[in-house]
PDB file of all heavy atoms in Angstrom:
ATOM      1  N   SER A   7     112.452 189.475  -0.758  1.00 71.00           N
ATOM      2  CA  SER A   7     112.461 188.252  -0.024  1.00 71.00           C
ATOM      3  C   SER A   7     113.774 187.525  -0.217  1.00 71.00           C
ATOM      4  O   SER A   7     114.286 186.817   0.727  1.00 71.00           O
ATOM      5  CB  SER A   7     111.257 187.311  -0.433  1.00 71.00           C
ATOM      6  OG  SER A   7     111.371 186.903  -1.811  1.00 71.00           O
ATOM      7  N   HIS A  16     123.540 184.764   6.417  1.00 70.00           N
ATOM      8  CA  HIS A  16     124.799 185.385   6.949  1.00 70.00           C
ATOM      9  C   HIS A  16     124.710 185.613   8.477  1.00 70.00           C
ATOM     10  O   HIS A  16     125.704 185.584   9.176  1.00 70.00           O
ATOM     11  CB  HIS A  16     125.115 186.746   6.252  1.00 70.00           C
ATOM     12  CG  HIS A  16     125.804 186.589   5.013  1.00 70.00           C
ATOM     13  ND1 HIS A  16     126.991 186.100   4.739  1.00 70.00           N
ATOM     14  CD2 HIS A  16     125.199 186.763   3.669  1.00 70.00           C
ATOM     15  CE1 HIS A  16     127.229 186.096   3.476  1.00 70.00           C
ATOM     16  NE2 HIS A  16     126.222 186.455   2.766  1.00 70.00           N
ATOM     17  N   ASN A  32     121.392 176.223   8.187  1.00 92.00           N
ATOM     18  CA  ASN A  32     120.855 177.310   7.479  1.00 92.00           C
ATOM     19  C   ASN A  32     120.190 176.914   6.179  1.00 92.00           C
ATOM     20  O   ASN A  32     119.463 177.666   5.460  1.00 92.00           O
ATOM     21  CB  ASN A  32     121.951 178.312   7.094  1.00 92.00           C
ATOM     22  CG  ASN A  32     122.438 179.146   8.276  1.00 92.00           C
ATOM     23  OD1 ASN A  32     121.623 179.565   9.125  1.00 92.00           O
ATOM     24  ND2 ASN A  32     123.734 179.224   8.384  1.00 92.00           N
ATOM     25  N   ILE A  37     118.922 169.486   5.992  1.00 92.00           N
ATOM     26  CA  ILE A  37     118.116 168.788   7.014  1.00 92.00           C
ATOM     27  C   ILE A  37     117.294 167.693   6.299  1.00 92.00           C
ATOM     28  O   ILE A  37     117.216 166.667   6.852  1.00 92.00           O
ATOM     29  CB  ILE A  37     117.241 169.788   7.736  1.00 92.00           C
ATOM     30  CG1 ILE A  37     118.133 170.788   8.566  1.00 92.00           C
ATOM     31  CG2 ILE A  37     116.235 169.087   8.727  1.00 92.00           C
ATOM     32  CD1 ILE A  37     119.027 170.211   9.587  1.00 92.00           C
ATOM     33  N   LEU A  41     117.750 163.823   7.452  1.00 89.00           N
ATOM     34  CA  LEU A  41     116.484 163.079   7.896  1.00 89.00           C
ATOM     35  C   LEU A  41     116.509 161.737   7.030  1.00 89.00           C
ATOM     36  O   LEU A  41     116.294 160.611   7.512  1.00 89.00           O
ATOM     37  CB  LEU A  41     115.260 163.802   7.584  1.00 89.00           C
ATOM     38  CG  LEU A  41     114.960 164.912   8.693  1.00 89.00           C
ATOM     39  CD1 LEU A  41     113.907 165.812   8.294  1.00 89.00           C
ATOM     40  CD2 LEU A  41     114.573 164.210  10.130  1.00 89.00           C
ATOM     41  N   ALA A  47     114.232 155.351   9.130  1.00 77.00           N
ATOM     42  CA  ALA A  47     113.302 154.478   9.790  1.00 77.00           C
ATOM     43  C   ALA A  47     112.419 155.163  10.941  1.00 77.00           C
ATOM     44  O   ALA A  47     111.386 154.588  11.356  1.00 77.00           O
ATOM     45  CB  ALA A  47     114.072 153.247  10.345  1.00 77.00           C
ATOM     46  N   ARG A  70     126.497 173.494  22.538  1.00 82.00           N
ATOM     47  CA  ARG A  70     126.462 172.073  22.717  1.00 82.00           C
ATOM     48  C   ARG A  70     127.683 171.342  22.261  1.00 82.00           C
ATOM     49  O   ARG A  70     128.312 171.890  21.324  1.00 82.00           O
ATOM     50  CB  ARG A  70     125.185 171.379  22.008  1.00 82.00           C
ATOM     51  CG  ARG A  70     125.409 171.111  20.542  1.00 82.00           C
ATOM     52  CD  ARG A  70     124.207 170.996  19.884  1.00 82.00           C
ATOM     53  NE  ARG A  70     124.447 170.572  18.505  1.00 82.00           N
ATOM     54  CZ  ARG A  70     125.184 171.173  17.608  1.00 82.00           C
ATOM     55  NH1 ARG A  70     125.742 172.310  17.909  1.00 82.00           N
ATOM     56  NH2 ARG A  70     125.314 170.697  16.384  1.00 82.00           N
ATOM     57  N   LYS A  72     130.069 169.340  20.119  1.00 67.00           N
ATOM     58  CA  LYS A  72     129.996 169.064  18.655  1.00 67.00           C
ATOM     59  C   LYS A  72     129.709 167.520  18.445  1.00 67.00           C
ATOM     60  O   LYS A  72     130.352 166.749  19.104  1.00 67.00           O
ATOM     61  CB  LYS A  72     131.300 169.411  17.906  1.00 67.00           C
ATOM     62  CG  LYS A  72     131.498 170.933  17.884  1.00 67.00           C
ATOM     63  CD  LYS A  72     130.314 171.695  17.309  1.00 67.00           C
ATOM     64  CE  LYS A  72     130.557 173.183  17.547  1.00 67.00           C
ATOM     65  NZ  LYS A  72     129.407 174.028  17.690  1.00 67.00           N
ATOM     66  N   ALA A  95     133.853 157.853  31.297  1.00 61.00           N
ATOM     67  CA  ALA A  95     135.271 157.698  31.320  1.00 61.00           C
ATOM     68  C   ALA A  95     135.720 156.876  29.917  1.00 61.00           C
ATOM     69  O   ALA A  95     136.795 157.149  29.527  1.00 61.00           O
ATOM     70  CB  ALA A  95     135.795 157.071  32.447  1.00 61.00           C
TER      71      ALA A  95
END
Side-chain angles (χ1 to χ4, degrees):
S7 64
H16 281 288
N32 287 318
I37 297 299
L41 286 164
R70 83 199 187 302
K72 298 303 176 210

